[in-house]
Amino acid sequence: MAPTNRSPFRRTLALLASVAILAQAGVSEVAFAQTAPEATAPGVAAPAPAAPAPTPPAPAAPQQTPTIQGVVPNNGPASVADLAEGLLDAVVNISTSQNVKDDEGVGPAPRAPDGSPFQEFFNDFFNKQQGGKGPNHNVSSLGSGFVIDPTGYIVTNNHVIEGADDIEVNFANGSKLKAKLIGTDTKTDLSVLKVEPKAPLKAVKFGDSSTMRIGDWVMAIGNPFGFGGSVTVGIISGRGRNINAGPYDNFIQTDAAINKGNSGGPLFNMKGEVIGINTAIISPSGGSIGIGFSVPSELASGVVEQLRQYGETRRGWLGVRIQPVTDDIADSLGLDTAKGALVAGVIKGGPVDDGSIKAGDVILKFDGKTVNEMRDLPRVVAESTVGKEVDVVVLRDGKEQTVKVKLGRLEDSDQAAAGGGAPDGSQDDGVITPDPDENNDMDEPDTGDQAQPLPGAPAPDQHQGQVSPDAATPKNVLGLSLSLLSPETRKAFGIAESVDGVVVTEVAPGSASAEKGLKPGDVIVEVAQEFMKSPDAVAAKVKSLKQEGRRNAQLMIASANGDLRFVAVPME
């Protein structure tokens, strides 16, 4: 029985061996064809004998490797070693120390109950914990920076050196120098330092970030977690990002690894030019997850130059309050899409208090630059030169007009602003966004905006007895109960004497007006850019807009203290 069992086994083994040889020969043919299809003519390769077929498999495996490697350079830089080598010496580590007072009100250390078995050890532990602290202690931090001038000027983030008593710059060669703060700008989170080197330093220059496209390769160098001279590579993932870090947010987003300690370091293009300053990351863990943000050089270079020259910024100032153009407001103004910045008010004594720009205008272009949305305007104004005359394209009364404006200086705006600045600092942005929920002491409504509708109209305290009885009767329009402004209503709602129009006494719950945030005490100054003298005038204008086929009524609303805003209310 034994010979009978062995014979099928041997035949099976031989069959498997034959199949393996044939399969191996087939694989070697495919690999060779992929790596060198032009080696032989098809007619010559086909009749190759079967016997030598097992021989090619040995060189076939290494022939696949260059095929894969050959594709990589087409998808990214083959190496950034040469580029990085020429830039590392210009990137520095910045260490700071700050003398901080210990927090007051921490309270006494906990004590074990008298007589407890571990009272001695418990109290001794906490006494040592508190005894180690004096009235003050030093806090240290690390960041990055880069040299922009061989004489020793260095750029970094403001938050890296903010509040520091001592700033030290560590160079790639191991040398250290004390640094002096030349100037800082909190709005863009940038600072300029100065060291006094014995020999010229290796420096880098700014490139043009406006030419960079999403998908372009970039390289970050910095001091993450104290590891100086760390190089990471990635691409530009996005542009124009707003992360609510300041009024001029226009960040470059990159997936190049940026971690704690990279702040203030440069983001280079593949030419070795600085096109961004690494500033912030989004991370639930504190480490890089591939979402980092850099201040673009098109914004940073001007700020840095001003800080070098003057030790401060000198930004342009337009002197208007603005708000977004919503879809409803765009429809009420006849705009095809929501774009531009809607002027809600003009600062008394500001650059455009001469009537060149009025409340209700929509700014579409500033100095040749398109204003796509509200947040574009503060940035382009601030980047402009103080005293420069610029062309501003506005939409007024349904038509585009171009007006000339001479810019003021933003840093002088506090002298022109009557309120002295909002708590959130919005009045320092050059272009101001009103917040109807805050009762800030701001400018009174610009009289130039109301001068055209007002001729012949009675003064606020003369309304009583000079209008028809029907006009004095409260009206219900758009879910609003309206009444004339009288001494009684002014007192009841605390409305300033400078405010004129028609007062809202009640708002119907669930109405369109309620959904738009209107409340009792608000004053309707204009409807569709026409001044309103009485509740009847409001009702008549709304009726007229409906007959014209308008879907929304644009209202200029004044708060009790005179802050203006525009609201587009759907007409049911």
Side-chain angles (χ1 to χ4, degrees):
M1 297 297 294
T4 306
N5 291 335
R6 287 194 189 107
S7 180
F9 175 77
R10 289 172 180 168
R11 288 196 297 269
T12 303
L13 185 61
L15 180 61
L16 290 173
S18 301
V19 171
I21 292 173
L22 291 173
Q24 193 173 21
V27 170
S28 64
E29 294 273 351
V30 173
F32 183 79
Q34 289 176 341
T35 54
E38 72 282 0
T40 57
V44 178
T55 305
Q63 286 177 349
Q64 288 180 336
T65 304
T67 304
I68 298 173
Q69 290 178 346
V71 178
V72 174
N74 295 330
N75 293 333
S79 174
V80 294
D82 292 338
L83 178 63
E85 185 178 13
L87 301 173
L88 282 168
D89 289 343
V91 182
V92 300
N93 303 340
I94 297 176
S95 60
T96 66
S97 62
Q98 182 180 4
N99 195 19
V100 179
K101 291 183 179 180
D102 288 335
D103 294 335
E104 298 180 359
V106 174
R111 303 189 68 83
D114 292 337
S116 63
F118 299 103
Q119 179 182 6
E120 178 181 355
F121 302 101
F122 189 86
N123 292 340
D124 183 58
F125 173 79
F126 281 102
N127 287 338
K128 287 182 179 179
Q129 291 291 312
Q130 284 200 330
K133 287 188 177 182
N136 300 311
H137 66 280
N138 285 327
V139 175
S140 300
S141 64
L142 296 173
S144 304
F146 56 97
V147 181
I148 59 169
D149 189 295
T151 60
Y153 284 97
I154 296 171
V155 175
T156 187
N157 280 141
N158 171 66
H159 74 260
V160 170
I161 54 85
E162 188 173 18
D165 297 316
D166 184 69
I167 305 173
E168 188 174 66
V169 177
N170 305 315
F171 293 87
N173 61 6
S175 62
K176 300 180 180 180
L177 291 174
K178 295 291 184 182
K180 179 177 69 173
L181 178 63
I182 299 299
T184 191
D185 179 41
T186 58
K187 290 181 174 62
T188 55
D189 195 18
L190 296 176
S191 293
V192 173
L193 309 176
K194 181 69 168 66
V195 296
E196 299 299 336
K198 295 181 180 179
L201 300 174
K202 171 70 176 179
V204 291
K205 64 179 182 178
F206 283 108
D208 185 3
S209 61
S210 65
T211 63
M212 300 298 291
R213 300 185 301 162
I214 294 175
D216 280 345
W217 287 95
V218 289
M219 180 175 67
I221 304 180
N223 181 34
F225 300 108
F227 295 99
S230 295
V231 178
T232 57
V233 176
I235 62 170
I236 291 180
S237 307
R239 291 177 51 88
R241 299 301 195 197
N242 179 13
I243 61 174
N244 295 318
Y248 311 126
D249 280 14
N250 189 32
F251 286 99
I252 295 172
Q253 180 186 335
T254 179
D255 67 351
I258 299 174
N259 290 284
K260 292 181 178 179
N262 274 109
S263 289
L267 187 70
F268 293 103
N269 60 16
M270 292 296 102
K271 299 177 182 177
E273 300 169 331
V274 179
I275 51 90
I277 301 173
N278 302 322
T279 299
I281 62 173
I282 290 180
S283 172
S285 62
S288 173
I289 60 170
I291 305 178
F293 300 97
S294 302
V295 179
S297 61
E298 57 190 295
L299 173 62
S301 58
V303 173
V304 168
E305 186 59 30
Q306 289 183 3
L307 294 178
R308 281 187 61 179
Q309 289 188 20
Y310 313 116
E312 61 183 3
T313 56
R314 299 186 177 183
R315 293 188 168 98
W317 179 48
L318 192 58
V320 296
R321 299 185 183 90
I322 59 172
Q323 68 180 76
V325 178
T326 64
D327 290 336
D328 289 341
I329 289 177
D331 178 72
S332 67
L333 293 172
L335 287 170
D336 52 351
T337 58
K339 59 184 178 181
L342 178 60
V343 178
V346 177
I347 302 297
K348 189 72 173 178
V352 295
D353 192 30
D354 57 359
S356 53
I357 294 180
K358 302 179 179 182
D361 288 347
V362 178
I363 298 177
L364 302 175
K365 285 187 178 181
F366 180 89
D367 198 19
K369 300 174 183 177
T370 301
V371 180
N372 293 313
E373 54 183 321
M374 183 195 72
R375 72 185 187 93
D376 293 339
L377 187 60
R379 185 174 63 254
V380 296
V381 172
E383 291 173 353
S384 301
T385 305
V386 177
K388 181 180 180 181
E389 287 192 356
V390 299
D391 289 333
V392 181
V393 178
V394 301
L395 181 72
R396 181 182 300 167
D397 298 327
K399 299 178 181 179
E400 289 190 11
Q401 301 181 26
T402 300
V403 297
K404 274 205 174 293
V405 173
K406 185 177 182 180
L407 299 179
R409 184 184 173 188
L410 173 60
E411 289 75 13
D412 296 335
S413 63
D414 287 341
Q415 300 176 9
D424 63 354
S426 61
Q427 285 201 7
D428 293 330
D429 302 342
V431 185
I432 302 170
T433 305
D435 185 352
D437 297 325
E438 291 184 5
N439 191 25
N440 299 324
D441 182 16
M442 301 172 76
D443 294 320
E444 61 183 332
D446 181 47
T447 55
D449 298 335
Q450 301 175 11
Q452 293 181 357
L454 277 176
D461 59 351
Q462 294 175 335
H463 279 181
Q464 293 291 334
Q466 294 194 13
V467 295
S468 66
D470 290 338
T473 304
K475 295 284 184 182
N476 292 313
V477 182
L478 301 174
L480 303 172
S481 294
L482 306 177
S483 181
L484 287 172
L485 268 176
S486 64
E488 290 76 16
T489 53
R490 287 185 186 277
K491 183 177 180 180
F493 294 106
I495 300 172
E497 290 294 329
S498 60
V499 177
D500 198 11
V502 179
V503 65
V504 176
T505 57
E506 292 181 18
V507 181
S511 64
S513 296
E515 292 177 358
K516 293 296 183 178
L518 294 178
K519 58 185 181 296
D522 284 341
V523 177
I524 299 176
V525 180
E526 293 181 359
V527 177
Q529 298 183 321
E530 288 187 17
F531 177 71
M532 296 291 106
K533 296 183 291 184
S534 68
D536 275 346
V538 176
K541 186 60 181 178
V542 169
K543 181 179 179 181
S544 173
L545 292 174
K546 288 181 179 179
Q547 292 174 347
E548 294 174 8
R550 299 284 188 91
R551 295 180 297 174
N552 300 284
Q554 179 184 289
L555 312 180
M556 178 193 281
I557 303 296
S559 63
N561 67 348
D563 295 344
L564 296 176
R565 71 185 190 277
F566 285 89
V567 178
V569 179
M571 295 182 292
E572 301 175 352

